[in-house]
Amino acid sequence: MSLAIAESVVILEDQEDDSDWESVPSSGASSDTDGSESDEDKRIAAPPLLPIARSIASPTDSLCNVCKDLKLSPKRFVVLPSNKKKRNKPDDPDINMGTIRAIRSRSHCPFCRLVLVALGGEEVPDKEDRKDVSVVMSWNTDGIIPDVDEPWNHIPQIRTLNPSAKKSEEDYLDSKSLNLFPEITLLANDSPTDLRPYLPVSFATTALTLVFYVWGKKANFLRTLSNTVNELEKPGALLRPEFYDRIPMTIRDAMQVVREIGLQYLWVDCLCIVQDDETGSKADAIAKMDVVYGGAFVTIMAASGKDANSGLPGVRPGTRGERQAIEEIMPGFRLAYKTTYEDCVDDVVYYTRAWTFQERQFTSRSLIFIGGQVVFSCGQAHEWREDVVCEDKRIVSKQLKAPETNDIANFEGLIQSYSELSLTFESDIYNAFAGLARYFQSELKTNLCHGIPSIYFDWFLLWYPLEHQKRRKLAPSWSWSGWIATNFYGGRVRDRFPFDCSKTLPSDRMLDGAPEYYKDTLNPTPGSGFLQFWTVSVMLSIKPAKSVAKPGPANRPPRLGIFGRDSSRELGTLDLTSEWCSIDGNVGGTHEFILLCEGRDERAENYTYDEEPGWKYMVMLIEWHGDWAERVSIGSIDRHELKQAMGKGLLWKEIILA
């Protein structure tokens, strides 16, 4: 996979004292005297490093005065044994590189060019909020061996330079156009020691190495249909011109990848599912996507493509489409920006699509084609890349643990992430979640009702739409499926409110003008999508909030306060869309709220039990449409504030929620 070190490497001579360097045992050494594995035994066989193109430097290149003062050298990017550095402790960002405008003007300086690319290239603004954007850097460390005491850190073995952009002394840029936590470090070819894992390498112009991809809007390619399935099942069918010529390039490239890695079978959704069999085999296959992905040996993810003919970058010559960020500081000394595939996520369609979400959740290992190269990911290695040396067993942390499934927030997080994604056909809102629904049913031992687990039902009602989100009219307002993208509160639920709840049987109703929703394919006995239940109703007013909002996402909707008879005291808050707030009489008017459960806006500190202060009533703002109501938003009020109800006070009431 990755291009890495040869079996034996000669330690490069340096003009400075080499007494700190320790040679690694030769390839013939098998173990230490105590029977444990030596460092050499922990290596994974890998091909030699590829040479760097001689044209990397320009005759006009020269370091600027700012970069000359950094006194960079290969030895500064490795941790010497004499340093006795056992913990990762980043330096303060006290290296001032100047403004973005100044760095851009120094185009002759290779290190300035590299800093700019590492931050985000042309996407980095010169100014923000009318302030000049400047760059500061700090030294950090990385390494192979995880720190036993701090498994999220590694014992320092290499050094990195980490640039950051800021618009004032204490105000760093928070922009999606910037790369996340960029690192600049030494190219593995120029390392003065044989310790090279985590150092970047040059990748080849072509890569030698279960497909999922984005179909695209014009999906006019070969798919299995009811009238072609018999012909396509015949041996050699895909070699026939009428079929082969219609196989999209992404699938052809995937076939080549499967051959190169020595596997025999390839599962492709458009060929392995009969696409026009809506109620038969297609529905059965969609419901078992968790089994398909979970049982695959490896999943090939075509993450960079905009459609099925985009292909896999690097499989065919000249298809990488990316230039590595490597700069020559001086002969024999080159630095590189260590990219991560997350840097490319915001620019690709793949990560915005709901259908691809289950694939990423259930696959045990994957080859991700993104950013001009291939990345390997599995349960023990988040990101093994072509452009970083990874062939060393010591990279894999022994501290990894299986994720806990007994925390409801884990399931809530899956729903939140899925609900923010897009669908070509809104009617697929449940189909694209079917594999995850099976997982929910298995772990929580319950069915889902329009996307919400029947167990802890009131807790799962505590989501709220963000500012840009709209109602999906063909799904219930009380479920996340009834909104195009959602978010959730994070809290826990305890016992219901202590009121007289003796009258609970639903009354027979016939609703006039009630909407009809998409079929709930996640439930074996789907209902109408209406909730009929008894709860406490309370009349309160909505006004601009007086309290100061806690830090949150920039796209959070307007925040308003909930007030009662004492109009000067804010009982709680809720988030509402600008569209709702613009309707005359909504802000400043009196509205009906219903109580859902007791809960918290935030987790109890240090996971302490719920005796501490902080428990509130979670409430839902509703609007009536004749005999049935729709959800508007979720908020919370302090438990002792119910006496502030206006009008007739508290009322135990039957609600029909659409």
Side-chain angles (χ1 to χ4, degrees), residues 593-608:
F593 290 80
I594 57 174
L595 272 61
L596 298 177
C597 60
E598 290 187 355
R600 302 179 61 92
D601 290 334
E602 299 176 350
R603 280 187 180 274
E605 292 184 5
N606 302 319
Y607 297 91
T608 53

Side-chain angles (χ1 to χ4, degrees), residues 119-189:
L119 287 170
E122 295 300 321
E123 300 297 323
V124 184
D126 291 344
K127 287 180 174 288
E128 186 165 292
D129 298 332
R130 299 181 180 181
K131 298 177 181 178
D132 287 333
V133 175
S134 60
V135 177
V136 294
M137 284 195 312
S138 61
W139 284 97
N140 205 339
T141 59
D142 207 342
I144 304 170
I145 306 171
D147 188 331
V148 176
D149 298 319
E150 298 177 346
W152 54 90
N153 283 328
H154 287 74
I155 296 175
Q157 290 166 294
I158 67 167
R159 287 192 176 94
T160 63
L161 275 170
N162 298 40
S164 302
K166 58 194 310 184
K167 54 187 176 182
S168 65
E169 187 65 28
E170 301 295 334
D171 195 3
Y172 286 85
L173 257 65
D174 182 18
S175 172
K176 288 186 177 180
S177 62
L178 300 182
N179 293 326
L180 188 65
F181 308 126
E183 293 182 344
I184 295 172
T185 192
L186 184 67
L187 199 67
N189 305 61

Side-chain angles (χ1 to χ4, degrees), residues 316-388:
R316 286 166 286 111
T319 60
R320 281 200 185 270
E322 298 283 341
R323 178 184 177 274
Q324 268 188 290
I326 300 175
E327 293 286 355
E328 184 174 293
I329 307 304
M330 60 185 68
F333 175 29
R334 289 153 295 195
L335 297 177
Y337 161 49
K338 287 178 63 176
T339 60
T340 64
Y341 79 83
E342 286 88 351
D343 293 339
C344 307
V345 167
D346 288 337
D347 299 326
V348 297
V349 178
Y350 177 89
Y351 288 94
T352 69
R353 303 297 292 164
W355 276 106
T356 63
F357 181 71
Q358 296 182 119
E359 170 194 349
R360 305 197 302 272
Q361 295 299 317
F362 291 117
T363 185
S364 58
R365 58 185 69 85
S366 57
L367 287 173
I368 309 168
F369 285 80
I370 189 171
Q373 62 174 302
V374 61
V375 177
F376 176 74
S377 179
C378 68
Q380 290 187 308
H382 168 63
E383 185 178 32
W384 281 25
R385 308 173 53 86
E386 281 187 90
D387 62 349
V388 176

Side-chain angles (χ1 to χ4, degrees), residues 542-549 558-563 570 572-575 587:
I542 296 175
K543 301 177 184 179
K546 292 184 176 181
S547 58
V548 178
R559 177 173 172 272
L560 282 90
I562 304 172
F563 296 83
E570 185 177 281
T573 61
L574 74 166
D575 296 310
V587 178

Side-chain angles (χ1 to χ4, degrees), residues 81 558 652:
W652 183 248

Side-chain angles (χ1 to χ4, degrees), residues 102 167 291 342 349 395 433 472 538:
K167 54 187 176 182
V291 178
E342 286 88 351
V349 178
I395 289 177
F433 196 72
R472 182 183 281 120
V538 57

Side-chain angles (χ1 to χ4, degrees), residues 582-632:
S582 65
I583 299 175
D584 290 343
N586 278 349
V587 178
T590 300
H591 301 273
E592 183 171 3
F593 290 80
I594 57 174
L595 272 61
L596 298 177
C597 60
E598 290 187 355
R600 302 179 61 92
D601 290 334
E602 299 176 350
R603 280 187 180 274
E605 292 184 5
N606 302 319
Y607 297 91
T608 53
Y609 192 56
D610 46 19
E611 299 301 331
E612 65 175 280
W615 284 96
K616 299 182 178 183
Y617 284 124
M618 311 307 292
V619 296
M620 177 184 290
L621 171 62
I622 62 173
E623 285 182 342
W624 286 94
H625 300 270
D627 292 332
W628 48 277
E630 280 194 322
R631 169 200 192 279
V632 177

Side-chain angles (χ1 to χ4, degrees), residues 259-286:
R259 293 189 192 100
E260 294 285 351
I261 62 179
L263 297 180
Q264 185 176 3
Y265 299 107
L266 176 68
W267 188 95
V268 182
D269 55 357
C270 67
L271 295 178
C272 297
I273 298 176
V274 182
Q275 297 298 311
D276 57 353
D277 183 15
E278 298 294 340
T279 59
S281 60
K282 181 179 179 180
D284 184 61
I286 287 174

